[in-house]
Each structure stands twice: as C-alpha cells, then as structure tokens.
Amino acid sequence: MGPMTPDERLRSYRLKRRTEQSGEPNGSSATAPHEGLPRFVVQRHDARNLHFDVRLEVDGVLVSWAVPKGPSLNPADKRLAHRTEDHPLDYLDFEGRIGEGYGAGTVIVWDIGTYDNLTLVDGEPIAAAHALAKGHIKVELHGHKLSGAFAFTHTRMGGDEANWMLVKVDDDAADRRRRPTSTQNESVLTGLTNSDLEADPLP
Ligand code: MN
C-alpha cells in the first residue's frame, strides 16, 4: 500500500455531505497543482457549536482540525484541536451558509495565507505528512491575523484519538494581549461576519 491519493483521502469528506445541496466545494480541483509555499486557512464556522476550523495544505488536501476556542497568540494557552476529515483544496476560500445537514451554519474565511513547515526530528527537517504521522508538527504561519510559529501535538486527551493541542510557540509574534478571535471576527476576504451570511439565500 502506497500513500493515499487526495481522492482517497477525501472519501470521508464526500460521504459526510451532499455538496450539491450544501454549496460546499466538491473537491474536483483537489489535485490542481500550484506554485510556492503550502497554504493554510482558518474558517470561523458558526454551526451548532461555534468553532474555528484550522486547515493546512499537505500533499493535495487540507488537513483539518476544529478548534472550539480558536488559535491563541498567547503561548500559555493550550487550545483543544479536534482532528476532522481532510478537506479538498478548493475549500480554502469557501465562505457561505451551509443549509440543513452536516455542518449546517455559516462559514467565513477568518484568516488565510501560507506556511512554512518548521518541524525538526533529531535536528533534521521532516515532511509535513511525516510530522503529522508522528503526532507533532510545527508551522510558521504567514497570515493576516496570525503569524509566527504554532505547534500541533497529538495528545489523545481523554482517550480520544482525534484530540490534538494547538499552542502558539513563544517567538516574536507571540502576544499575550491581542485576542483576534474576539476582536477581529470579520472575513479577511470580504469583510463579512458570520451573521452577515445568515441572511444569504441557500444555494
Ligand atoms: Mn467546522
């Protein structure tokens, strides 16, 4: 068995939703090549429970975590990050209102940008997919609201295989006062908020 293809990795994404009804991307462009650094997105998803979806582009898909409180710039904050199904690359700039069904609610692009994989093992850089498989990845984000290094660690807290922890690395971009998840709730793409989208007609 070789590594899974993006199509294979998106099987769970596609099984969970009917994209022709929800208006979400179906991932048909998941394997489209692009130049430069891998990308990341943080989406603010006002669903049954408000949360932030943090996604990193890795090998043709968006590796994803739902972070209930969202990322913090304070290295003292440990944020629960629940690993969810890989998403297609065309989810990167998805905003809208998802109707009844899985994930029903509104989604805005809260932050978007590129990242560098900083993960080292025994002082040597390792690929993002390998770092994830080992349960620890350190990335430097180049976004509008988020910058500097963040670390994801697979904690399996409470015996839940999906539980990871997201922590700001203590670097120049760490900030113990600024709380963008409270004070900057608009989309970096459109300036819209989740509540602006509640009035949207469904697709
Ligand atoms: Mn979500």
Side-chain angles (χ1 to χ4, degrees):
M1 293 255 302
M4 286 199 293
T5 66
D7 257 343
E8 288 165 339
R9 296 183 56 167
L10 294 174
R11 188 176 147 76
S12 173
Y13 173 88
R14 292 186 175 119
L15 281 172
K16 284 186 175 183
R17 46 176 70 67
R18 303 174 72 87
T19 53
E20 69 281 3
Q21 285 171 17
S22 74
E24 295 169 289
N26 64 15
S28 54
S29 59
T31 56
H34 81 102
E35 302 282 315
L37 287 176
R39 296 164 292 180
F40 84 94
V41 66
V42 180
Q43 279 149 325
R44 189 174 190 273
H45 187 181
D46 194 358
R48 191 175 41 180
N49 297 302
L50 174 70
H51 60 274
F52 293 75
D53 290 299
V54 180
R55 313 188 196 278
L56 301 177
E57 178 183 6
V58 178
D59 297 340
V61 297
L62 299 175
V63 170
S64 299
W65 294 263
V67 182
K69 292 184 172 177
S72 172
L73 303 181
N74 184 346
D77 289 338
K78 295 178 167 59
R79 291 290 160 87
L80 175 67
H82 199 77
R83 182 88 179 259
T84 58
E85 71 276 17
D86 294 340
H87 276 49
L89 290 188
D90 47 8
Y91 215 94
L92 266 170
D93 58 359
F94 172 72
E95 301 196 325
R97 178 172 158 222
I98 302 169
E100 277 180 51
Y102 186 74
T106 56
V107 176
I108 61 157
V109 173
W110 183 84
D111 200 11
I112 194 167
T114 59
Y115 74 90
D116 281 291
N117 171 21
L118 303 181
T119 320
L120 300 177
V121 170
D122 298 330
E124 296 293 324
I126 64 168
H130 188 194
L132 288 164
K134 289 176 69 73
H136 181 78
I137 185 168
K138 186 164 114 175
V139 293
E140 181 171 350
L141 301 181
H142 313 291
H144 302 261
K145 297 172 183 170
L146 300 179
S147 59
F150 288 78
F152 295 81
T153 304
H154 197 182
T155 62
R156 299 182 179 84
M157 197 171 66
D160 187 338
E161 187 63 27
N163 282 343
W164 291 59
M165 195 76 84
L166 172 61
V167 179
K168 178 76 192 74
V169 173
D170 199 354
D171 59 12
D172 287 349
D175 190 326
R176 286 158 182 80
R177 285 164 313 220
R178 192 162 75 84
R179 294 185 170 276
T181 51
S182 304
T183 59
Q184 296 177 272
N185 279 328
E186 72 293 343
S187 161
V188 293
L189 297 182
T190 59
L192 298 174
T193 62
N194 288 88
S195 39
D196 289 331
L197 296 181
E198 271 162 29
D200 258 18
L202 289 171

